[in-house]
Amino acid sequence: MAPTFGYLQLSLVGERADEVTGELEALAAHFDGSIKGRVFAELEPPGQALWSMLTAGEHERIRATAARRRIALERVLGGPPPTTALWMLLDTLARCNGEPTYLLVPSPQHFDGLGVPRDLMLRRFADACPSLLVRYADSAQATLLLDGQPLRETSADDGSGALVDLTVEAFAHPVEVVRSYARWKLSRAGLGDLVEPVDSLMRLLVGAAVDDPTTAGDNRLRVVIHPPQATTLTLEVWETGDHSDEPVGGKVRQLVDPGGTVERYRSAPGGTVTCCELVLPTARSRPTKRHVAVEFGIEGLPIQHYQADADVAEVFAAEARRKHLVAQVTIDDLVTPEMRLLPCHRLFLP
């Protein structure tokens, strides 16, 4: 059972605290979890609590006194609540050790008015627990929300076969939404070694879509991660905005190297698709053959051409140069079947 927690501001639910907590518990059960004993409830701001106990006549006298003394009463009454529960929650999330974790909140408004911008708070949550999935239960809409946005995810039996298929709007906080969701899905699928490169790509590609002033206002993003094939993993970012003529950034290309590919093209409806193909770490670690050209510096002896595993070729070349065993060693990928195996191949195996 995945760790599941609840968070709410008591000032926003009033006497419905037990009812709202029950709704969160029902939502937790939907994910085979429970928030019993794991609800972090932020207390009502002291100024609001005291104000609610006063009569209308007392309100008027306090307002008159505040005006006379030039005290901004609205600031006193509208100040943020204590954030003790928020800090305790953040500390708890940091102890989840990378496990897929749920945080259930009545609505996005429960992250507002705390003296810290909501997007900053969500980034701290993601830093503390990268596998965190924040879900809102808005009883008025009777729907599941992910970071305030309706979660559109393909079901496992719809025939698409995608590991991740998530649609978000390019406003609010889609970067953290997509990053958290992708990390969670990859971890659950046993692909933990792909979490970091995919996370970095999502941060760059989705972040660029959000920051683009020409498209972000009405840009819808669809992120698709396909199940890994024999040696590669393919991910796509579909956008309704059209910037397909823009080159892909150098940082994205660096992330897919070595051996991967990235391309950008215009989709049929007129939007933009950025497709990245990553080489799996297991495939990248397999020895690949390299051409080793050895020049001994002996008159009449032609250059000798061999093949060797990539790591063996590098070690041999370094040793040969260091000990001056040969005149020159050149390594490239121009391997042909006729080339003999490097005679001392076994000596340089890792």
Side-chain angles (χ1 to χ4, degrees):
M1 182 173 64
T4 307
F5 305 95
Y7 178 81
L8 56 88
Q9 291 191 48
L10 291 176
S11 61
L12 298 182
V13 297
E15 298 180 354
R16 296 183 60 245
D18 291 341
E19 178 184 345
V20 172
T21 302
E23 293 174 357
L24 294 181
E25 176 63 24
L27 181 58
H30 180 79
F31 305 118
D32 298 322
S34 174
I35 60 168
K36 291 181 179 178
R38 296 181 173 185
V39 177
F40 294 83
E42 213 69 83
L43 297 177
E44 187 176 2
Q48 293 181 14
L50 179 61
W51 188 256
S52 65
M53 297 171 58
L54 302 176
T55 64
E58 291 170 328
H59 287 174
E60 293 303 320
R61 287 195 295 273
I62 292 175
R63 286 194 177 95
T65 301
R68 189 168 56 253
R69 296 184 180 182
R70 297 183 179 180
I71 297 174
L73 188 59
E74 290 74 16
R75 293 184 60 186
V76 175
L77 298 177
T83 55
T84 304
L86 181 66
W87 286 102
M88 291 176 64
L89 171 61
L90 190 61
D91 180 67
T92 301
L93 293 176
R95 300 170 186 268
C96 289
N97 299 320
E99 292 184 81
T101 304
Y102 288 104
L103 176 59
L104 310 182
V105 187
S107 69
Q109 287 69 37
H110 284 254
F111 284 140
D112 293 336
L114 296 172
V116 180
R118 190 197 308 171
D119 58 345
L120 176 60
M121 195 180 310
L122 290 170
R123 286 199 295 272
R124 295 291 76 80
F125 283 158
D127 290 340
C129 183
S131 57
L132 179 68
L133 192 64
V134 179
R135 294 203 179 219
Y136 301 114
D138 190 331
S139 58
Q141 299 183 44
T143 185
L144 294 179
L145 302 176
L146 176 60
D147 196 45
Q149 305 176 44
L151 178 64
R152 293 179 55 191
E153 175 192 4
T154 57
S155 60
D157 58 355
D158 68 352
S160 68
L163 185 65
V164 170
D165 193 339
L166 181 66
T167 300
V168 295
E169 304 291 340
F171 56 82
H173 318 287
V175 178
E176 300 306 325
V177 173
V178 173
R179 290 179 64 191
S180 296
Y181 190 72
R183 294 179 75 105
W184 174 63
K185 294 289 282 189
L186 289 170
S187 297
R188 284 193 62 181
L191 300 172
D193 53 351
L194 295 172
V195 166
E196 291 304 323
V198 170
D199 180 72
S200 297
L201 283 172
M202 292 297 96
R203 177 170 49 81
L204 290 173
L205 294 175
V206 178
V210 173
D211 294 338
D212 187 346
T214 64
T215 62
D218 56 356
N219 197 7
R220 179 174 297 162
L221 308 178
R222 181 186 178 199
V223 177
V224 182
I225 301 179
H226 298 279
Q229 302 302 309
T231 60
T232 59
L233 176 85
T234 301
L235 63 88
E236 302 164 342
V237 177
W238 295 66
E239 303 176 52
T240 54
D242 185 5
H243 59 98
S244 54
D245 56 342
E246 296 179 3
V248 178
K251 290 184 178 180
V252 173
R253 295 189 179 278
Q254 290 176 9
L255 286 171
V256 300
D257 282 336
T261 61
V262 58
E263 59 178 332
R264 175 171 286 164
Y265 54 90
R266 181 176 286 104
S267 64
T272 305
V273 181
T274 305
C275 180
C276 300
E277 188 175 80
L278 292 167
V279 177
L280 299 179
T282 52
R284 191 174 294 145
S285 63
R286 296 174 187 166
T288 55
K289 298 297 183 182
R290 305 295 300 278
H291 166 221
V292 182
V294 182
E295 185 176 351
F296 289 91
I298 301 175
E299 186 176 353
L301 182 63
I303 297 175
Q304 302 297 301
H305 300 275
Y306 304 102
Q307 61 173 294
D309 290 343
D311 46 1
V312 169
E314 296 293 339
V315 175
F316 167 76
E319 285 296 299
R321 294 176 185 127
R322 186 174 67 86
K323 297 180 178 180
H324 305 287
L325 300 177
V326 298
Q328 185 173 349
V329 179
T330 304
I331 301 173
D332 57 41
D333 295 325
L334 304 177
V335 180
T336 63
E338 296 79 21
M339 291 179 183
R340 294 177 296 148
L341 189 67
L342 188 69
C344 51
H345 192 278
R346 293 182 58 185
L347 297 177
F348 296 96
L349 286 172

